[in-house]
Amino acid sequence: MGPFTLAPTAERSQSALARFWSLDVGVAVLVVVIGAISRPTLSLATVPHALDTAVGIGCVAALVFRRVLPRLALTVIAALLLIHLTARMELGAFVAAISAIAAYSTQTQLSPPWRWLFLAAVYVGSVAAIMTAPIPSPAVGLRERLIVTGVALALLTLAVMTGVVRRQRRTRYTFALERAKMLETQQSTERRLDLVEERTRIAREMHDILGHSLNAIAAQAEGVRYVLRSDTGRADQALADIGNLCRRAVDDVRGLIDVLTTEESEASTSPAPSLGDVPELISSLHYTRAAIRLRVVGEPEAVPEYLGLAAYRIVQESLTNALKHADGAPITVSVTIEEHRLELSILNMLPPAASAQSMSQDGHGINGMCERVRAVGGSVEVGPDTTTGGWRVHAVLPWGRS
């Protein structure tokens, strides 16, 4: 798995849900403990105390469900605290704790506009409760109530800011998970695309190797028929060339299979052919009925390796098509190496039995040739030559010398 592999979503959700339930139950128990040890204490001694206790228990129960049903839970808390305010009950740490948790929950569990509506209700309700709550001591006047109101608002604001920070951290965490999942999907897609591209490249190489080798073998075999009786020495040499072609094709195919079945660092493949191997390619076809002429202008050694491989495959595919569709027709291969480009021209004269249509039907080879040219940023023209009437492949491959 990649570095961004995530745990299964179902397991993650179940674990988080169980943790949140435990946390909310723990918060509810803590609030009950605060109510039990603070003044006024939770009791059933009188009707006001029983009503106060019922309001507290209802608020605590609503706190447990504040994540699952946040709006309903906060509405219940608001209604119960309104009853508490209307009954002019004594305020204490128990009500303050519930109000602080409610203010915190508005920022972590709600989205706008509900977040701000419930938060405003908490602030307004807290101020109204402090300003109207009965206080036994006559020494407590408006000044003291305003001071208590300021302290309460400061504590509520602290709870709100804590909720904002918690929401932002959770948002960043969720964004990080989504980004990690997106990166994992992107990596998986890139791996699949790389695999498809590699398979396409290997298929193209296989087509070039086998197509050329088999057509060359067939052309060599046809040539042997003409010299078998008149010149046994040339026939023996032609048969030896056929054997060499077969062994070379087998080695090339085995190298491609090694790339597929072994690690890249362990695969032992022969060096890729280059532009300098074109003369050897043509010499391996000298026993065919086709007369092949090669003209090279420039230094093949100066051509970059990737460009040399593309040029070699283009010449190889062009010769294969010529031997397949126009066996016996003379072929001219021209290679011109200039300062910023490599120009290839392969021209063969069609014999009377061949036609341009039969040449153009070799779709896979021509398509593969065009893909090679596009891969290096070049251009290619394949079709009948208007000057000679033959079949011409003309490719221009750009490059630059350092």
Side-chain angles (χ1 to χ4, degrees):
M1 293 185 178
F4 299 104
T5 301
L6 304 175
T9 304
E11 295 180 4
R12 213 166 48 242
S13 300
Q14 292 178 358
S15 176
L17 185 60
R19 185 170 65 253
F20 290 149
W21 274 110
S22 301
L23 181 61
D24 289 339
V25 171
V27 169
V29 172
L30 178 62
V31 173
V32 171
V33 171
I34 293 175
I37 63 177
S38 63
R39 185 178 182 279
T41 59
L42 300 178
S43 68
L44 302 176
T46 63
V47 174
H49 284 86
L51 181 59
D52 194 17
T53 301
V55 168
I57 293 175
C59 291
V60 169
L63 290 178
V64 177
F65 295 94
R66 64 191 178 93
R67 296 181 193 271
V68 183
L69 300 169
R71 280 189 289 179
L72 178 60
L74 292 176
T75 301
V76 171
I77 292 175
L80 293 175
L81 292 180
L82 182 61
I83 294 174
H84 186 279
L85 175 63
T86 304
R88 300 182 60 82
M89 299 176 185
E90 185 179 352
L91 299 179
F94 180 70
V95 175
I98 293 176
S99 298
I101 296 174
Y104 170 86
S105 300
T106 60
Q107 302 303 303
T108 58
Q109 305 302 323
L110 298 178
S111 58
W114 298 106
R115 178 185 302 160
W116 311 117
L117 292 176
F118 277 96
L119 180 60
V122 172
Y123 274 106
V124 172
S126 299
V127 172
I130 295 174
M131 298 302 294
T132 61
I135 299 178
S137 175
V140 177
L142 178 61
R143 179 173 177 273
E144 287 74 13
R145 286 180 183 270
L146 291 177
I147 293 175
V148 174
T149 301
V151 174
L153 292 179
L155 293 177
L156 287 177
T157 303
L158 179 62
V160 170
M161 297 306 298
T162 303
V164 171
V165 172
R166 176 70 181 91
R167 185 183 74 244
Q168 291 177 346
R169 289 183 58 187
R170 185 175 60 194
T171 301
R172 287 195 296 268
Y173 177 74
T174 303
F175 176 76
L177 288 180
E178 293 176 352
R179 180 171 175 79
K181 186 176 181 180
M182 180 184 67
L183 290 175
E184 183 181 10
T185 303
Q186 181 179 354
Q187 289 178 349
S188 177
T189 302
E190 290 176 353
R191 285 194 296 268
R192 288 197 299 269
L193 291 177
D194 290 341
L195 181 60
V196 171
E197 183 178 357
E198 183 66 13
R199 287 178 176 175
T200 303
R201 184 190 68 81
I202 292 176
R204 188 167 56 239
E205 293 288 330
M206 193 80 73
H207 172 274
D208 292 343
I209 292 170
L210 293 181
H212 169 75
S213 299
L214 293 178
N215 280 283
I217 290 170
Q220 294 277 42
E222 288 291 332
V224 171
R225 293 176 56 192
Y226 290 96
V227 300
L228 184 60
R229 296 181 181 178
S230 59
D231 192 340
T232 56
R234 291 182 62 191
D236 182 70
Q237 182 61 42
L239 292 175
D241 290 341
I242 291 175
N244 291 332
L245 283 172
C246 291
R247 284 188 292 272
R248 186 182 306 167
V250 170
D251 291 339
D252 290 340
V253 172
R254 183 182 292 117
L256 291 175
I257 294 176
D258 287 342
V259 173
L260 290 174
T261 57
T262 61
E263 295 294 335
E264 184 177 358
S265 59
E266 299 176 357
S268 59
T269 59
S270 58
S274 64
L275 193 60
D277 297 318
V278 171
E280 182 181 354
L281 172 67
I282 293 177
S283 65
S284 67
L285 304 174
H286 67 283
Y287 279 108
T288 62
R289 293 187 296 171
I292 305 176
R293 296 176 56 191
L294 173 64
R295 184 176 67 89
V296 179
V297 177
E299 302 175 1
E301 295 79 10
V303 177
E305 182 179 351
Y306 74 96
L307 208 63
L309 174 60
Y312 179 90
R313 293 303 188 197
I314 291 171
V315 173
Q316 184 184 53
E317 179 63 29
S318 300
L319 293 177
T320 300
N321 289 342
L323 294 176
K324 179 179 179 181
H325 298 285
D327 188 16
I331 304 172
T332 302
V333 179
S334 299
V335 180
T336 303
I337 303 169
E338 299 179 354
E339 185 68 22
H340 298 291
R341 68 175 191 168
L342 168 64
E343 184 175 354
L344 300 174
S345 180
I346 302 93
L347 174 65
N348 67 283
M349 299 300 297
L350 294 176
S355 65
Q357 182 179 3
S358 65
M359 293 288 289
S360 62
Q361 288 175 350
D362 190 69
H364 294 293
I366 294 177
N367 290 338
M369 186 189 308
C370 294
E371 289 177 5
R372 288 186 184 276
V373 174
R374 284 195 296 267
V376 297
S379 60
V380 62
E381 296 179 0
V382 181
D385 184 62
T386 56
T387 304
T388 63
W391 187 264
R392 181 171 177 262
V393 176
H394 181 258
V396 177
L397 311 179
W399 68 296
R401 296 183 181 180
S402 58

